Amino acid sequence: MKIVAVTSCPTGVAHTYLAAEALEKAFKEGGHTISVETQGSVGIEGEITQTDIEGADFVILTKDVSIKGEERFSGKQIVRVTAGNAIRKADLIVKKLEQKLQEQQ
């Protein structure tokens, strides 16, 4: 499974980066490919490429604040989670998306 994600939080500090780290770890441990862009207090880091977006099975967006450039993901399957859930429940997010992908095949 290929995933792209954008994480952000109201202050653009800790939760933005903790969510990115948790998602990267959980998806890589599950044998999946993930590219994560952070939109934090220092701006956009690790910007996702159009090629990554086109190849993605799912797009994960944190919903604590609006994501800059969200229109890039038009037509993709978008999953919205809070930064807190991305941090605490990343393994569950992986399992749910694996199940969803299996149901679609």
Side-chain angles (χ1 to χ4, degrees):
M1 184 165 51
K2 292 182 181 178
I3 304 295
V4 294
V6 180
T7 61
S8 190
C9 70
T11 58
V13 189
H15 285 93
T16 297
Y17 300 100
L18 291 171
E21 185 179 305
L23 291 171
E24 285 176 339
K25 181 181 178 197
F27 278 94
K28 287 179 181 177
E29 285 178 355
H32 306 291
T33 303
I34 185 167
S35 297
V36 181
E37 173 182 307
T38 57
Q39 295 186 3
S41 59
V42 296
I44 295 174
E45 295 178 284
E47 189 168 358
I48 295 169
T49 68
Q50 190 61 37
T51 302
D52 287 336
I53 295 167
E54 290 169 4
D57 296 303
F58 296 100
V59 176
I60 299 172
L61 302 176
T62 54
K63 61 182 181 180
D64 305 84
V65 295
S66 50
I67 299 295
K68 294 178 184 87
E70 189 173 325
E71 66 279 355
R72 300 175 283 170
F73 308 112
S74 178
K76 300 304 285 186
Q77 293 186 79
I78 296 175
V79 177
R80 296 180 190 278
V81 299
T82 63
N85 280 343
I87 294 165
R88 291 185 303 278
K89 299 180 180 181
D91 292 339
L92 181 60
I93 294 168
V94 172
K95 289 177 185 171
K96 284 188 175 190
L97 292 185
E98 287 172 337
Q99 181 181 9
K100 191 170 186 176
L101 188 61
Q102 285 178 350
E103 290 170 358
Q104 293 174 358
Q105 293 178 346

